[in-house]
Each structure stands twice: as C-alpha cells, then as structure tokens.
Amino acid sequence: MKKFFLTLILAAFCGMSSAFAYDFSAVCPTGQTLYYNIIYSQTGHEVELTCPKPEIYGGFWEGYSKPYGHDIALPSTVEQNGICYTVTKISSHAFYKCHGLMGNLVIPNTITSIGYQAFYDCTGLDGELIIPSSVIHIDTKAFEDCSNLIGGINIPESVVSIGSKAFHNCLGFTGNLIIPKSVASIGKYAFYDCVNFESIITDCQIPPTTDSTAFYGIPTTIPVKIPTCSSPLYQVASGWSQFENFQPEPFYQLTVTSESETFGTVSILQEP
C-alpha cells in the first residue's frame, strides 16, 4: 500500500512539473511577457524563447495572456537570478497564433534558428520582417499564414535551409525574394501562395534543392535574376523550371580591407 501511495505521489509530481514548457518568464523591452527555456551548452548561458505550455496540456497559451502590442522587439539577452543569458533560439510554437502582435517583428542577431510554427498565424504583424544574419535554419511553417507582413524577404547569407511551408500564404509580401548562395535546400510549399512578390533574386550558381511545390502560386512571369551561365540549370531544376523569365546577371563580391580602425566610404567607379 505504501509503495502504491508513493507511486501516485511521484506520478502527480511529474505531471505537475511537466505541465509547463518554460523555465522562467521576463518582460522584454517592448513590454511583453515572454517565456524562456534554459539551454545547457558548452558556449555558456543560453536560452530559447518558448510558449508557456506543451500542447498535451490543452494548448500552448491556455490560461496565459498572449503577448500583444506594436513593433515587438525580441531581446538578445535576458537576466534571471543574476545570470545574463543569451537568447539563441525561437522554439516551436513560441508565438503560435499570437494575433495581438502588430507592426514590425525585430529578431535579434543572436538567434540561430526559428522553430516549427514559431510565428504561425500571427496575422496582426503588418510591418516588415527582418531576419538577422545569425539565423542558420528557418523551420517548417515558421511564418505560415503571417498574411499581413509587408515588403520583401531578404534571406541572410547565414541560412542554409528553409523548411516546408516556412512562408506559406504570406500574401502581404510585395517586394523581392532574395535567396543567397548559402541556401542549399528549400522545403515543400515554402513560398506557396506568396503571390505578390515582384521578383526573385539569387546568386546560387547551382539551384537550391527543392520540389515542384516550393513556389506554387507565385506568378511564373516575374523576373528571376540568377548568375550568368546558370540558366540551363534553373530551366530544368525542380521547382525553378516553372518560371519563364530568367534574367542572368553578373554577381560580384566586394572585399574591403584596411589597416585603419576608421572606415570611410567605398565607391565602385567601374564594374569588372
């Protein structure tokens, strides 16, 4: 009987301890209460942004107030119990259906990955999305149904993979989609129904691996600017071959070095 009673206590304790998906919470500079998990890494004190509850306990935000407000600025560091933690990840469902977030989304340059459905259906975000050059991976459905984000998407040169449906149904993007040569793979339906892009620009000499669904819904007649001599590869590559208006262009990389700690301006007087 005692053994059975002890088992019940332990089971209840485990259930209570796992009912939360975070280690601590803190108010960010723009006034929202955010939730964090501590990541134990060799590089020092790190945390990831997360949602308050696991899905198994009735939903990611049930019983909690979702962050809301205009122009949320996610912090690069957060302090807890006298320890300063670097925010390096945005975990799965961290801002799932946070419809009250509005304006621009500012992601700090300490973030290396944006998780599964991290900003899924954040339809209130109606400003620009700036992805910092620290991000390596954009996971599946990370920004799916963020239909009111505006401007273009400039994927930074740090990114190596874009997950399936990462930007699916982001109807508000109207500028350029810029994909750097660091990107090796693009998931299924990644940019499905991003119907208002003006052009796609990439310096990838070899087309990033994808399938026929990655760009569904994007008009096939928009300019696709690619490196010189790469047209034959893009014309037969899965996902890319649907486009009809490839525009080969030279891409140059400019490296500037100086012995001075103070930099002035650099002007290109003539192209190579």
Side-chain angles (χ1 to χ4, degrees), residues 12-110:
F13 177 78
C14 292
M16 290 174 61
S17 63
S18 60
F20 303 97
Y22 67 97
D23 291 321
F24 67 90
S25 63
V27 177
C28 73
T30 45
Q32 296 86 1
T33 298
L34 305 180
Y35 298 86
Y36 301 89
N37 274 330
I38 297 173
I39 302 172
Y40 297 96
S41 68
Q42 295 179 346
T43 58
H45 300 294
E46 297 181 13
V47 291
E48 63 179 5
L49 282 156
T50 188
C51 57
K53 294 179 67 175
E55 184 177 17
I56 192 174
Y57 288 97
F60 310 114
W61 289 93
E62 184 177 346
Y64 292 81
S65 296
K66 294 181 179 180
Y68 65 92
H70 203 273
D71 291 343
I72 181 171
L74 304 181
S76 58
T77 60
V78 61
E79 187 170 329
Q80 173 70 4
N81 292 332
I83 299 175
C84 183
Y85 294 93
T86 301
V87 184
T88 58
K89 296 180 180 181
I90 302 173
S91 73
S92 300
H93 309 114
F95 297 92
Y96 182 85
K97 292 189 175 182
C98 289
H99 300 139
L101 295 177
M102 299 175 289
N104 299 314
L105 173 60
V106 180
I107 300 174
N109 61 6
T110 56

Side-chain angles (χ1 to χ4, degrees), residues 5-267:
F5 181 69
L6 180 60
T7 302
L8 286 178
I9 292 176
L10 288 173
F13 177 78
C14 292
M16 290 174 61
S17 63
S18 60
F20 303 97
Y22 67 97
D23 291 321
F24 67 90
S25 63
V27 177
C28 73
T30 45
Q32 296 86 1
T33 298
L34 305 180
Y35 298 86
Y36 301 89
N37 274 330
I38 297 173
I39 302 172
Y40 297 96
S41 68
Q42 295 179 346
T43 58
H45 300 294
E46 297 181 13
V47 291
E48 63 179 5
L49 282 156
T50 188
C51 57
K53 294 179 67 175
E55 184 177 17
I56 192 174
Y57 288 97
F60 310 114
W61 289 93
E62 184 177 346
Y64 292 81
S65 296
K66 294 181 179 180
Y68 65 92
H70 203 273
D71 291 343
I72 181 171
L74 304 181
S76 58
T77 60
V78 61
E79 187 170 329
Q80 173 70 4
N81 292 332
I83 299 175
C84 183
Y85 294 93
T86 301
V87 184
T88 58
K89 296 180 180 181
I90 302 173
S91 73
S92 300
H93 309 114
F95 297 92
Y96 182 85
K97 292 189 175 182
C98 289
H99 300 139
L101 295 177
M102 299 175 289
N104 299 314
L105 173 60
V106 180
I107 300 174
N109 61 6
T110 56
I111 297 295
T112 59
S113 66
I114 302 173
Y116 175 75
Q117 290 189 332
F119 295 95
Y120 175 77
D121 198 28
C122 289
T123 53
L125 291 171
D126 55 3
E128 294 187 354
L129 170 64
I130 299 176
I131 303 172
S133 58
S134 55
V135 172
I136 297 172
H137 178 61
I138 302 171
D139 208 340
T140 299
K141 300 184 179 182
F143 296 97
E144 184 177 25
D145 288 340
C146 291
S147 54
N148 291 311
L149 286 170
I150 62 172
I153 304 178
N154 187 352
I155 305 295
E157 293 185 359
S158 54
V159 172
V160 298
S161 62
I162 301 171
S164 300
K165 293 189 176 181
F167 298 95
H168 171 221
N169 202 36
C170 290
L171 306 174
F173 287 127
T174 56
N176 301 319
L177 169 58
I178 301 176
I179 302 174
K181 59 186 176 183
S182 61
V183 175
S185 63
I186 301 173
K188 296 179 179 179
Y189 302 103
F191 299 99
Y192 181 27
D193 271 352
C194 294
V195 297
N196 293 310
F197 279 129
E198 295 177 359
S199 70
I200 298 175
I201 302 172
T202 178
D203 61 353
C204 301
Q205 292 187 341
I206 299 175
T209 302
T210 188
D211 81 339
S212 60
T213 64
F215 303 106
Y216 268 4
I218 298 179
T220 59
T221 56
I222 67 168
V224 179
K225 300 179 181 181
I226 59 176
T228 304
C229 301
S230 292
S231 291
L233 298 176
Y234 280 86
Q235 289 169 352
V236 297
S238 178
W240 297 94
S241 59
Q242 72 181 49
F243 294 108
E244 306 167 13
N245 188 13
F246 290 110
Q247 297 183 1
E249 293 189 354
F251 287 87
Y252 306 116
Q253 181 175 359
L254 178 64
T255 302
V256 178
T257 59
S258 174
E259 295 179 357
S260 172
E261 295 182 358
T262 303
F263 287 88
T265 58
V266 175
S267 300

